[in-house]
Amino acid sequence: MNQVKEAKKLLDEADAVLIGAAAGLSTAAGLDYAGQRFQQHFSDYIEKYGMTDMYSAGFYPFQTLEEKWAYWSRHVLLNRYGESLPLYQDLYNLVKDKEYFVMTTNVDGQFEKAGFDQERLFEIQGNYGEFQCSVPCHQEVYSNEEAIKKMVKASQNLKIPSELIPYCPRCQAPMNMHLRIDSTFVETTLWHQEQEALQKFVERYEDKKLVLLELGVGYNTPTIIKYPFERMTIYFPNVSLIRLNIEDKPKKGIITINQDIKEVLAAWKE
């Protein structure tokens, strides 16, 4: 039995599935942060600022907030407020009738769009759809869809009008994206509830047939998903780990599939 079929059999027989997803999943789904997609949507930024990809562009030291938000509003509109991607819908259809939970470092909102239950989703690193205070003076976040769309519409010469710069409603400091970039990341009450829900899910199924489905997780932040998943397969004999990543090397006790995620999910559909 080849690995793709073996993995599907494990999923079919599982009591529960814990999905661990990172950037490789969204890249496979079409949200590529570099190459042709970046050149298509950010050619003016490449020309002016010498940017090479959307990930590193997020750390660019813009001299003004007008420039910063002109970039970020376009970035967020492109990567957060587009359509639900078919690959995520295929993933949802794979697990929707099972007990499942999702932990993800992705911030693009694709799990929510595909229909995954928000109460079974832990977005560890934040969400493009939210602002937070840059200080932060309080532990709350704010939906940004309306503000982002206004910025994009009003942007000229790679700047937004000053009146559209978002400021904290409490302390009036500039807002930031709700992303875990440094120690100022806001862990809201909901964030902690999601973390607790994940822990309870693992405790409920750790002694049963629990399948860990790791999708596109690299070594940028391996301590969040990759290493904990490996430890679980060591400590709990009924836990199985399926790892989909083109670059990962096989490890004993782990089903490592070095194929495109889209191809594997298509095979599982058949």
Side-chain angles (χ1 to χ4, degrees):
M1 183 184 297
N2 67 38
Q3 287 184 311
V4 174
K5 290 183 178 179
E6 181 183 357
K8 183 58 164 59
K9 186 173 186 293
L10 279 173
L11 288 166
D12 289 341
E13 296 175 353
D15 293 316
V17 179
L18 174 57
I19 295 172
L25 175 61
S26 283
T27 299
L31 291 183
D32 193 348
Y33 275 26
Q36 183 178 354
R37 185 169 181 264
F38 179 62
Q39 294 169 12
Q40 177 185 353
H41 294 283
F42 291 91
S43 60
D44 45 358
Y45 281 89
I46 295 170
E47 181 179 352
K48 181 172 182 178
Y49 299 102
M51 293 177 174
T52 58
D53 61 86
M54 278 182 262
Y55 178 78
S56 62
F59 298 93
Y60 190 89
F62 293 103
Q63 294 185 358
T64 68
L65 291 174
E66 287 85 354
E67 291 174 278
K68 169 186 172 179
W69 286 109
Y71 171 77
W72 269 107
S73 59
R74 191 188 302 184
H75 179 116
V76 172
L77 185 67
L78 179 65
N79 294 302
R80 175 63 177 83
Y81 293 116
E83 297 177 352
S84 175
L85 299 171
L87 184 60
Y88 277 87
Q89 295 167 15
D90 289 345
L91 182 60
Y92 174 67
N93 289 331
L94 180 70
V95 300
K96 66 180 181 180
D97 296 324
K98 286 190 168 293
E99 292 298 316
Y100 72 82
F101 199 95
V102 177
M103 58 185 300
T104 182
T105 55
N106 292 344
V107 295
D108 49 41
Q110 281 294 323
F111 282 103
E112 177 186 349
K113 293 178 190 178
F116 285 84
D117 186 347
Q118 282 290 100
E119 295 184 356
R120 292 190 274 178
L121 173 61
F122 182 23
E123 295 176 315
I124 304 164
Q125 304 288 66
N127 190 303
Y128 278 152
E130 297 165 343
F131 290 148
Q132 68 159 76
C133 175
S134 59
V135 174
C137 70
H138 63 296
Q139 299 294 303
E140 292 183 23
V141 295
Y142 301 85
S143 176
N144 65 23
E145 182 173 4
E146 182 179 353
I148 289 292
K149 291 180 177 179
K150 283 183 178 179
M151 290 181 200
V152 172
K153 187 174 181 180
S155 179
Q156 291 185 351
N157 301 318
L158 307 188
K159 295 180 181 180
I160 65 164
S162 299
E163 61 267 23
L164 294 184
I165 296 171
Y167 291 98
C168 175
R170 297 196 186 181
C171 74
Q172 303 306 310
M175 292 290 237
N176 274 344
M177 295 299 303
H178 184 218
L179 305 174
R180 188 184 295 278
I181 296 174
D182 54 31
S183 61
T184 63
F185 177 74
V186 166
E187 295 181 356
T188 64
T189 299
L190 178 60
W191 189 94
H192 286 285
Q193 289 173 346
E194 291 173 351
Q195 184 184 48
E196 183 179 357
L198 168 63
Q199 183 63 36
K200 288 181 178 179
F201 180 86
V202 172
E203 291 173 355
R204 189 180 312 126
Y205 292 106
E206 62 190 16
D207 294 325
K208 299 180 181 180
K209 290 182 180 179
L210 173 62
V211 171
L212 310 178
L213 182 57
E214 183 187 303
L215 302 170
V217 180
Y219 285 92
N220 189 25
T221 52
T223 57
I224 297 176
I225 297 173
K226 187 175 287 288
Y227 293 163
F229 272 22
E230 290 183 1
R231 286 196 295 270
M232 288 174 66
T233 64
I234 296 171
Y235 296 142
F236 306 116
N238 293 326
V239 173
S240 302
L241 172 53
I242 301 169
R243 173 171 284 164
L244 272 63
N245 194 312
I246 293 176
E247 298 178 353
D248 266 298
K249 295 180 180 179
K251 285 189 177 182
K252 184 179 179 181
I254 299 172
I255 298 177
T256 303
I257 302 175
N258 300 127
Q259 292 178 234
D260 185 272
I261 297 172
K262 189 180 294 186
E263 293 177 0
V264 177
L265 262 67
W268 285 346
K269 284 173 63 177
E270 297 177 357

